[in-house]
Amino acid sequence: GIFHYNEGNKFFTEGDFAEAIIRYKKALHHHKGFMQATINLSTAYMKNKEFDEALKTLQEGQKKFPLDPLIDYNLACYYSLTQNLESGLSALKTAVDKGYKQFKQIENDPDLQNLRNSALYQEWKAKIPGGI
């Protein structure tokens, strides 16, 4: 599985998201519990504008890895990209509650731009002790 995962990363970096998807799916075929491959697959689907597949992958990831904040973070990205801002903020809050503390990433991730521009996000951000 790791070979296909690494190939997927190479194609992803090159911007060939369709090829990256194929490789991440192969990695998951060989190792169903490969969390990072699940996360990267969902991201590749989003970059390739395959939002239904991204959501399916993330929902499966939530079942397999219920404690991992990266699944919820990617779900926040998904909801931001699809303009479902309430669900996006909810997923982002869940990620932070589960331990996601990369606030610089939250503030700079282009996939979260729609969410960051919302009043909902601004209100939440203002309530965080020490801020983001």
Side-chain angles (χ1 to χ4, degrees):
I2 194 75
F3 172 78
H4 296 297
Y5 171 76
N6 288 335
E7 277 193 321
N9 289 342
K10 179 178 86 70
F11 284 112
F12 188 96
T13 302
E14 293 169 358
D16 189 345
F17 304 117
E19 234 8 87
I21 288 166
I22 291 167
R23 297 312 196 277
Y24 292 139
K25 286 170 80 173
K26 284 183 179 181
L28 287 165
H29 174 77
H30 292 289
H31 181 22
K32 300 206 183 329
F34 197 161
M35 188 192 66
Q36 196 57 48
T38 301
I39 289 166
N40 289 12
L41 176 61
S42 72
T43 304
Y45 276 134
M46 285 187 271
K47 296 287 184 196
N48 216 34
K49 308 247 185 286
E50 295 181 48
F51 294 110
D52 290 344
E53 291 300 319
L55 181 59
K56 245 192 288 187
T57 302
L58 289 166
Q59 288 171 333
E60 290 170 14
Q62 280 184 312
K63 290 175 193 162
K64 287 183 191 173
F65 316 106
L67 302 177
D68 194 277
L70 286 176
I71 298 290
D72 297 287
Y73 180 84
N74 264 25
L75 203 52
C77 292
Y78 163 82
Y79 285 126
S80 177
L81 289 168
T82 58
Q83 297 289 334
N84 187 340
L85 302 180
E86 283 185 28
S87 295
L89 183 58
S90 177
L92 188 58
K93 285 178 181 178
T94 300
V96 170
D97 289 346
K98 288 180 181 178
Y100 190 87
K101 301 293 184 228
Q102 295 179 25
F103 295 119
K104 189 174 181 180
Q105 175 73 17
I106 292 170
E107 283 291 289
N108 293 304
D109 190 330
D111 292 344
L112 292 175
Q113 185 66 45
N114 294 328
L115 182 58
R116 281 194 308 272
N117 289 340
S118 73
L120 291 168
Y121 176 84
Q122 295 302 324
E123 289 169 22
W124 172 70
K125 180 180 166 182
K127 292 177 187 173
I128 294 176
I132 287 186

